[in-house]
Amino acid sequence: MNTARLGTTDVEVSRLSLGSWYTYSRLSFEAGVELVRTALDNGLTFFDVAYYRNSPHTELIFSRLIREAGAKRHDYQIAEKLWYFSYPEESLSDQANRMLRRIDEEFVDTLIIEHPRPGMSVEKLVDEITEIVADGRARSWGALNWVPEDLMRAHEHATANGVQGPALAQLKYSIVRRNVVEEQYRQVVEQTGMSIHASDTMEGGILAGVLNPERHIGIDVGEIREQIKGTVPKVLEAARRLDITPAQFSLAWCLTNPQVASLLFGATRPERLIENIEAVRIASEHGAEIRAAAEGLGIDAHALDAPYTHDRPLIGDYVA
């Protein structure tokens, strides 16, 4: 498994990261241990964990699983998330302390904060989260679905105050939803040096051929999901011609973008996990072929003027 650095920090993570939404809560304890151990044995060491209101014990489950799998703290990296469920009554610092107790860790490798709500001060949020980084509770921090303008403001405020700016932007990015990252965020990523943490790359399983997923999946930014379903036959055919699975095709395509440090996906079966991990090698050895095969599959160029707007009451992609 290749690794990459988060932004300009010294935090090194695996190119693939395993998500926790609807993952561990769907498994027996033994199956969860096997999944985590399989990930570690195959070089996937970056785990995205969070508190979810519809699955509130995820962090506790993961904490037990990673220890039962025999991992030491230097064996893995953790991304955690902070939300605004009770903010500002509960500060980001207090929320981070509660999170660390739940996950039973002294620090996380990156702490991802969701996009500011209307009326929130970007500068105040940066001051709060960089205090958490400065005292060692997090090694870096990132932004979930922040608009480019706020990312730039955060970077400039951090730079002016001599503190760490956002190391990553976690955004939807896929063969079909490519314009958000490649056009709308390209300039701010280039100017700041931050990385992309790609998410929802398989559109909840749709791009792997599951047109009607039974479980809840991420929000449909731009309301283009029906168009995406119409693209699936082309995705399946392109993967078939390359003699790889549709999931491998989708993952490998994203990994060919050098701005993507790590790609977040979900899996509950070890065999599916191993299949997806193979996408790292495929991207490395056959990147040009992958990019050529995906030519023309993007459909979101005119879906939205801005991918995440402040007037939408979102709770991230992960909480309905």
Side-chain angles (χ1 to χ4, degrees), residues 125-313:
L125 293 173
V126 171
D127 291 342
E128 288 190 54
I129 198 164
T130 54
E131 178 185 333
I132 297 169
V133 174
D135 64 24
R137 285 175 287 169
R139 296 175 63 201
S140 65
W141 70 278
L144 171 65
N145 298 346
W146 287 39
V147 296
E149 295 79 9
D150 284 348
L151 282 173
M152 201 66 225
R153 285 177 61 192
H155 170 77
E156 291 172 349
H157 180 71
T159 299
N161 287 275
V163 296
Q164 187 188 117
L168 66 87
Q170 189 176 105
L171 299 165
K172 286 177 178 284
Y173 184 46
S174 71
I175 288 176
V176 291
R177 292 187 192 266
R178 57 179 68 176
N179 187 62
V180 168
V181 166
E182 296 184 354
E183 297 297 331
Q184 298 174 14
Y185 286 81
R186 178 179 55 80
Q187 187 173 5
V188 69
V189 171
E190 290 176 351
Q191 291 180 352
T192 64
M194 73 176 67
S195 301
I196 296 295
H197 192 199
S199 70
D200 212 9
T201 295
M202 289 184 280
E203 198 73 22
I206 291 173
L207 292 178
V210 183
L211 294 182
N212 296 293
E214 293 182 1
R215 66 177 178 84
H216 185 72
I217 62 175
I219 58 174
D220 180 19
V221 177
E223 299 180 351
I224 59 173
R225 190 155 284 156
E226 289 307 311
Q227 291 177 259
I228 289 173
K229 290 180 180 180
T231 306
V232 169
K234 295 179 182 178
V235 173
L236 301 182
E237 175 58 22
R240 187 194 64 77
R241 290 198 305 269
L242 292 166
D243 196 26
I244 58 178
T245 69
Q248 289 172 335
F249 180 40
S250 297
L251 297 173
W253 182 86
C254 284
L255 291 171
T256 61
N257 184 341
Q259 292 184 335
V260 174
S262 190
L263 187 157
L264 175 63
F265 72 97
T268 55
R269 301 200 306 273
E271 60 270 24
R272 181 57 56 82
L273 190 67
I274 293 172
E275 173 191 313
N276 290 349
I277 288 173
E278 180 68 6
V280 177
R281 181 193 63 80
I282 294 169
S284 177
E285 296 180 3
H286 305 285
E289 298 169 56
I290 295 292
R291 298 297 293 191
E295 191 67 31
L297 294 178
I299 63 173
D300 68 332
H302 304 293
L304 283 177
D305 291 331
Y308 304 104
T309 58
H310 287 175
D311 59 352
R312 300 183 65 192

